[in-house]
Amino acid sequence: MSSTRLSIPNVDNETLDGNAISKKDQILERLNKRNKERQNYLDVKLEQRNKETSDAEGVDYFSQAFADKVREIEARIKNLSETSAKKNPGENSSIDLARHFTEITLEIQELQRYLTNSTMFLTDFKIKACQSIVNDLLQSCEEAKVKLMPKKKFGFSGRKVTPKPCLNPKLSKTDNVDGAEKNEHISTITGSKVSWTLSNRTNEYICLKGDEVHSKDITIAHLQNCFVELQGPAGSVQISHCSNSTFLCGPIARSLFADFCTNSTLSAACQQMRLHSSEQCQIYLHVTCRAIIEDCSKIGVAPYNYDYTGIDEDYNHAKINKEVNNYTDIADFNWLSSEVASPNWHLIKDFHAINWVQKRQEFLTRNMDNASL
């Protein structure tokens, strides 16, 4: 029986060692890849959990800090009222009371800024509730001030009173001069009395500059078919019950509040903007925090583009960051759905920069023609 010999190819040791190392590297590579994918998955999960925890802690911290500050201010107003009530009328120092009320007002303003800066992580309902509390504090402070520091009764003195001139008598169709009593109205935003800077004007062009605006709280009410320019860094601006009017505001250090405005145009750069009970308005806005609207409809929004000589300095004085503009982030308190956009406001389509100089000239020409009729 013949034997068959199988031939085995010669394989050197180096080839065997190379194949073994190659397979080992492949296994290690697969293991490292799986481990890396697993680690990435764990990192993502950890980041999500940390973010959720951070948001919850941020809201909880805000709620606690806000409530503590509210209680502190309420206690201060109450203590001031009780202490003054125990004293005889002659013992109350108007200077001390004025100082205390100024400090309380500053604390409320600081609380308002804290709320404004926290709107990015608060729900719309939470913002609305906290804003209502701030408004109540302002009203309580004003009521206590009126009670403890009543205005002196009218009396004659040797001081001459210079009547307030009309800013543009040629365009005005009303000859009245705004008196102090006529200018006092109840603010629908704060619930307190406001002595309006401008009120009861019709068909007028009004421009306030320099010291008339600088760091002042500008209040405007009951204007019809007017064109108003505020060229300077106002402290705050409040506009109420105006129609068919245009308001061009320079940088505002704190906030713009407007209510009951119809068919009007507002242009402003500010830290906070609130619009109430208004319709058919165009807002050209630069706002560093989230803007708020309530009970509004047909509101168009576009970026701020007002300009005048010295506006860059006014930006610096108002401490407004020109690089941060949240004009597209509007909180509608009447529309709390986060999935569907509010039907009460919209971005102005095909926006192009408006020539405000041309708009001003058109207003002046139109009203001069009407005045000559």
Side-chain angles (χ1 to χ4, degrees), residues 61-77:
Y61 177 81
F62 168 84
S63 299
Q64 184 63 44
F66 186 86
D68 290 344
K69 191 62 179 178
V70 169
R71 284 193 292 268
E72 179 183 334
I73 295 174
E74 288 176 338
R76 188 167 183 181
I77 295 174

Side-chain angles (χ1 to χ4, degrees), residues 224-240:
Q224 293 184 356
N225 192 37
C226 289
F227 196 105
V228 179
E229 294 188 68
L230 305 178
Q231 296 186 358
S236 66
V237 175
Q238 179 177 337
I239 302 172
S240 183

Side-chain angles (χ1 to χ4, degrees), residues 40-55:
N40 289 338
Y41 174 79
L42 293 176
D43 290 342
V44 170
K45 285 293 185 182
L46 180 61
E47 183 179 354
Q48 290 178 348
R49 186 169 60 185
N50 290 339
K51 185 178 184 301
E52 292 173 357
T53 303
S54 177
D55 290 344

Side-chain angles (χ1 to χ4, degrees), residues 43-307:
D43 290 342
V44 170
K45 285 293 185 182
L46 180 61
E47 183 179 354
Q48 290 178 348
R49 186 169 60 185
N50 290 339
K51 185 178 184 301
E52 292 173 357
T53 303
S54 177
D55 290 344
E57 290 176 350
V59 174
D60 292 341
Y61 177 81
F62 168 84
S63 299
Q64 184 63 44
F66 186 86
D68 290 344
K69 191 62 179 178
V70 169
R71 284 193 292 268
E72 179 183 334
I73 295 174
E74 288 176 338
R76 188 167 183 181
I77 295 174
K78 182 179 179 181
N79 292 337
L80 189 60
S81 300
E82 292 178 350
T83 303
S84 299
K86 293 178 181 179
K87 294 182 179 180
N88 295 325
E91 295 178 354
N92 288 329
S93 173
S94 59
I95 297 178
D96 290 340
L97 287 175
R99 177 174 58 82
H100 284 299
F101 279 116
T102 299
E103 292 174 354
I104 293 173
T105 301
L106 291 175
E107 290 181 3
I108 297 175
Q109 291 176 354
E110 187 64 31
L111 185 65
Q112 176 69 71
R113 278 193 289 271
Y114 180 47
L115 172 60
T116 300
N117 294 334
S118 304
T119 54
M120 301 303 292
F121 61 85
L122 297 176
T123 63
D124 291 344
F125 178 81
K126 185 71 172 179
I127 297 172
K128 184 176 182 180
C130 292
Q131 187 61 59
S132 178
I133 293 174
V134 173
N135 293 343
D136 290 342
L137 287 176
L138 284 170
Q139 183 174 355
S140 298
C141 180
E142 184 65 24
E143 289 175 352
K145 184 177 180 180
V146 171
K147 181 179 179 181
L148 300 178
M149 299 179 62
K151 294 183 178 180
K152 294 182 179 180
K153 294 183 178 180
F154 177 81
F156 292 99
S157 65
R159 183 170 58 90
K160 294 183 179 180
V161 178
T162 304
K164 183 179 179 180
C166 180
L167 293 178
N168 198 329
K170 292 183 179 180
L171 295 183
S172 177
K173 290 187 177 181
T174 57
D175 296 328
N176 61 302
V177 177
D178 297 333
E181 293 183 359
K182 192 170 185 178
N183 276 348
E184 285 193 352
H185 301 279
I186 299 296
S187 169
T188 55
I189 296 176
T190 64
S192 58
K193 284 188 176 181
V194 176
S195 182
W196 302 100
T197 307
L198 301 171
S199 68
N200 301 302
R201 304 295 183 92
T202 303
N203 300 330
E204 287 193 44
Y205 168 74
I206 304 167
C207 183
L208 302 183
K209 299 181 179 181
D211 293 339
E212 295 175 310
V213 181
H214 200 285
S215 300
K216 300 291 181 61
D217 294 328
I218 306 298
T219 53
I220 302 171
H222 300 285
L223 269 61
Q224 293 184 356
N225 192 37
C226 289
F227 196 105
V228 179
E229 294 188 68
L230 305 178
Q231 296 186 358
S236 66
V237 175
Q238 179 177 337
I239 302 172
S240 183
H241 291 87
C242 295
S243 61
N244 302 307
S245 297
T246 298
F247 302 93
L248 307 181
C249 306
I252 303 170
R254 295 188 298 276
S255 58
L256 167 67
F257 289 162
D259 65 348
F260 297 101
C261 294
T262 57
N263 195 30
S264 294
T265 298
L266 288 79
S267 181
C270 53
Q271 304 288 1
Q272 181 190 21
M273 192 280 291
R274 292 183 62 202
L275 183 66
H276 290 244
S277 305
S278 300
E279 62 179 357
Q280 294 183 335
C281 291
Q282 306 294 312
I283 313 294
Y284 296 87
L285 183 64
H286 183 109
V287 62
T288 57
C289 295
R290 195 179 190 189
I292 296 171
I293 65 172
E294 185 175 15
D295 299 328
C296 295
S297 62
K298 300 179 181 179
I299 305 299
V301 181
Y304 178 75
N305 65 331
Y306 183 44
D307 192 18

Side-chain angles (χ1 to χ4, degrees), residues 292-353:
I292 296 171
I293 65 172
E294 185 175 15
D295 299 328
C296 295
S297 62
K298 300 179 181 179
I299 305 299
V301 181
Y304 178 75
N305 65 331
Y306 183 44
D307 192 18
Y308 56 86
T309 303
I311 192 172
D312 290 335
E313 296 179 2
D314 293 344
Y315 265 108
N316 293 332
H317 185 274
K319 297 181 180 179
I320 293 179
N321 188 347
K322 295 180 68 174
E323 304 302 322
V324 178
N325 187 3
N326 295 313
Y327 76 97
T328 60
D329 187 14
I330 309 293
D332 183 357
F333 281 172
N334 297 105
W335 190 264
L336 302 182
S337 173
S338 59
E339 298 179 356
V340 181
S342 168
N344 298 318
W345 72 276
H346 62 276
L347 294 176
I348 299 176
K349 295 181 179 179
D350 301 326
F351 167 76
H352 62 280

Side-chain angles (χ1 to χ4, degrees), residues 5-66:
R5 181 177 296 178
L6 298 175
S7 61
I8 300 174
N10 294 328
V11 180
D12 56 11
N13 293 332
E14 292 182 359
T15 302
L16 291 174
D17 292 341
N19 291 336
I21 293 174
S22 177
K23 291 181 179 179
K24 182 179 179 181
D25 289 342
Q26 291 177 1
I27 294 173
L28 289 175
E29 184 178 355
R30 285 197 297 269
L31 290 175
N32 289 333
K33 184 178 180 180
R34 290 179 182 177
N35 185 59
K36 188 175 181 180
E37 291 175 350
R38 178 176 174 274
Q39 188 61 44
N40 289 338
Y41 174 79
L42 293 176
D43 290 342
V44 170
K45 285 293 185 182
L46 180 61
E47 183 179 354
Q48 290 178 348
R49 186 169 60 185
N50 290 339
K51 185 178 184 301
E52 292 173 357
T53 303
S54 177
D55 290 344
E57 290 176 350
V59 174
D60 292 341
Y61 177 81
F62 168 84
S63 299
Q64 184 63 44
F66 186 86

